[in-house]
Amino acid sequence: MPRKRKTPIPIVVINFGKKIKELRIERKMSQMDVGAALNIDRENVRKYEKGLQEPKLSTVIKFAKIFEISFNELLNL
């Protein structure tokens, strides 16, 4: 049985996950490709995409770099 979160998932985390998945698919990359570029495993990429794991600021910056977009664009600011 899945664990329940004590706090709800922030909408910005959910939107970030949707955006990185969209960018990954648009660029024809697998979760493994993205994970290799970020030096993380595929499972963590999956968690970010699903909004299950909140990324650190440094990780968000790395995602922006590998997708070659601005930090603001990645976060829809």
Side-chain angles (χ1 to χ4, degrees), residues 15-27 29 34 38 57-77:
N15 289 341
F16 171 77
K18 289 178 182 178
K19 183 72 174 182
I20 62 171
K21 183 175 182 177
E22 173 187 304
L23 290 166
R24 177 180 63 77
I25 291 169
E26 194 176 279
R27 286 163 174 74
M29 296 175 78
V34 174
L38 293 171
L57 178 59
S58 60
T59 304
V60 175
I61 292 168
K62 288 177 185 177
F63 271 108
K65 284 182 182 179
I66 66 162
F67 291 130
E68 299 175 339
I69 62 172
S70 73
F71 179 83
N72 288 341
E73 187 179 354
L74 181 58
L75 295 178
N76 295 317
L77 300 176

Side-chain angles (χ1 to χ4, degrees), residues 24 29-45 63 66:
R24 177 180 63 77
M29 296 175 78
S30 69
Q31 289 177 337
M32 288 187 74
D33 295 334
V34 174
L38 293 171
N39 201 26
I40 60 175
D41 65 8
R42 184 200 64 80
E43 185 62 21
N44 282 335
V45 175
F63 271 108
I66 66 162

